[in-house]
């Protein structure tokens, strides 16, 4: 019934699935402690069966992946084997939990095909976007008890939940405080319209602190500069040689 409803209203669906099964079932469980992997797979097949607009699988890359030697490339290959026509998003696990990646695990200087494509699209856009994502605009998270959050990254902090229009407007102001032209550090940066700094990280995590930004921002700017040079070289040769050398992510 829910699958047919999603199809009827043409909802674009993204599903969280932490490939492989052993990682998923260690982190995504029912109250009983039972893993949810098989039920998620069954749900995906149900969506595909009714023709719902299931487009994307999002994997939260965490310490369990590193422990068993499962890198991002391996995850992407496995998802494409299971679901050939589905897009893959791999997001680093951050926040206050046992499997969150620390700074040593998160290589923010690494360039993937996704990074290249994102920068290329930003350069080609007809207008500049003040937000790195559409959180609290077109993207929301709804809990089983009908509480709404801007996205799953805010889930543990009830200060970022709302249930009425007034609550939404107040929350929207908080999100706007860290957009590219409002944040005191971001607004002075030449790379602000090409950076994908996460609003949740800026508002909730240590990543948003002045000390962390002073350390991370130069690395991110260098990464963006290198991508721009790759794009310029590929454009001058009318080929995608640099893009094709990058790791899929």
């Amino acid at each position: 019934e829910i699958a047919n409803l999603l199809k009827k209203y043409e909802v674009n669906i993204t599903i969280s699935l932490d490939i492989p099964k052993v990682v998923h079932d260690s982190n995504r469980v029912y109250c009983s402690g039972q893993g949810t992997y098989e039920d998620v797979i069954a749900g995906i097949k149900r969506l595909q069966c009714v023709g719902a607009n299931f487009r994307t699988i999002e994997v939260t890359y965490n310490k369990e992946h590193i422990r068993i030697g499962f890198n991002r490339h391996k995850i992407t290959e496995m998802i494409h084997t299971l679901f050939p026509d589905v897009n893959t998003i791999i997001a680093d696990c951050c926040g206050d939990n046992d499997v969150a990646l620390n700074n040593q695990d998160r290589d923010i200087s690494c360039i993937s095909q996704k990074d290249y494509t994102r920068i290329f699209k930003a350069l080609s856009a007809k207008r500049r976007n003040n937000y790195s994502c559409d959180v609290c605009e077109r993207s929301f998270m709804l809990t089983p008890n009908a509480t709404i959050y801007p996205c799953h990254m805010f889930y543990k902090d009830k200060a970022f939940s709302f249930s009425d229009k007034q609550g939404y407007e107040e929350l929207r102001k908080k999100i706007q405080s860290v957009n590219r032209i409002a944040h005191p550090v971001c607004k002075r940066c030449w790379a602000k319209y090409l950076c994908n700094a996460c609003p949740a990280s800026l508002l909730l995590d240590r990543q948003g602190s002045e000390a962390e930004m002073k350390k991370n921002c130069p690395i991110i700017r260098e990464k963006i500069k290198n991508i721009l040079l790759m794009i310029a070289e590929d454009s001058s040769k009318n080929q995608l040689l640099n893009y094709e050398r990058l790791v899929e992510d």
Side-chain angles (χ1 to χ4, degrees):
E1 184 181 348
I2 293 174
N4 285 318
L5 193 67
L6 293 170
K7 178 189 177 183
K8 177 181 177 181
Y9 290 101
E10 300 180 347
V11 176
N12 294 331
I13 303 165
T14 298
I15 291 180
S16 295
L17 183 69
D18 291 344
I19 295 289
K21 183 178 187 296
V22 63
V23 174
H24 183 100
D25 281 348
S26 67
N27 296 313
R28 300 183 185 273
V29 299
Y30 291 113
C31 294
S32 64
Q34 178 185 342
T36 60
Y37 182 88
E38 295 298 341
D39 286 346
V40 173
I41 295 293
I44 290 173
K45 291 178 178 178
R46 200 172 295 119
L47 289 170
Q48 291 178 320
C49 184
V50 302
N53 199 12
F54 165 53
R55 292 184 174 184
T56 307
I57 286 176
E58 180 165 347
V59 180
T60 303
Y61 192 73
N62 59 64
K63 284 185 176 179
E64 287 295 307
H65 288 108
I66 295 172
R67 184 181 63 80
I68 65 172
F70 230 80
N71 61 30
R72 292 169 172 82
H73 185 68
K74 207 169 180 179
I75 291 170
T76 303
E77 283 186 335
M78 189 170 177
I79 289 176
H80 286 173
T81 300
L82 290 170
F83 307 104
D85 301 322
V86 171
N87 298 321
T88 305
I89 296 174
I90 302 177
D92 285 344
C93 180
C94 55
D96 182 21
N97 59 74
D98 294 336
V99 295
L101 302 181
N102 54 37
N103 288 336
Q104 287 72 38
D105 298 325
R106 298 174 66 247
D107 183 2
I108 60 176
S109 66
C110 179
I111 300 173
S112 68
Q113 289 184 354
K114 186 173 71 173
D115 294 319
Y116 183 110
T117 302
R118 180 180 58 78
I119 298 292
F120 185 85
K121 286 182 177 180
L123 293 171
S124 308
K126 292 182 179 179
R127 63 179 182 177
R128 291 173 174 173
N129 190 347
N130 293 335
Y131 297 90
S132 57
C133 74
D134 57 6
V135 62
C136 216
E137 295 292 333
R138 294 185 299 167
S139 173
F140 299 92
M141 174 191 171
L142 179 65
T143 67
N145 64 357
T147 303
I148 308 173
Y149 291 84
C151 77
H152 68 283
M153 298 291 288
F154 291 91
Y155 178 56
K156 282 194 171 182
D157 193 331
K158 289 187 177 180
F160 287 90
S161 66
F162 67 95
S163 56
D164 55 32
K165 184 177 180 181
Q166 181 181 347
Y168 167 71
E169 293 297 339
E170 291 174 358
L171 184 53
R172 195 161 174 260
K173 288 178 183 177
K174 292 181 183 178
I175 302 294
Q176 288 174 338
S177 72
V178 293
N179 73 23
R180 290 165 169 168
I181 59 173
H183 192 282
V185 175
C186 299
K187 68 181 182 182
R188 299 193 302 268
C189 180
W190 64 264
K192 60 180 173 287
Y193 291 113
L194 303 175
C195 179
N196 65 335
C198 171
S201 295
L202 293 173
L203 286 166
L204 297 176
D205 297 339
R206 286 196 316 115
Q207 294 175 47
S209 71
E210 187 175 342
E212 285 294 304
M213 293 186 76
K214 185 176 286 188
K215 181 173 67 176
N216 291 335
C217 289
I219 300 172
I220 295 170
R221 280 194 291 268
E222 184 67 18
K223 174 178 175 177
I224 291 172
K225 185 188 80 173
N226 290 333
I227 294 173
L228 291 172
L229 291 172
M230 288 179 185
I231 292 173
E233 184 178 3
D234 283 351
S235 298
S236 68
K237 295 178 180 178
N238 200 25
Q239 298 182 61
L240 290 174
L241 295 179
N242 286 313
Y243 173 83
E244 289 169 355
R245 293 190 190 105
L246 298 173
V247 176
E248 288 185 39
D249 197 346

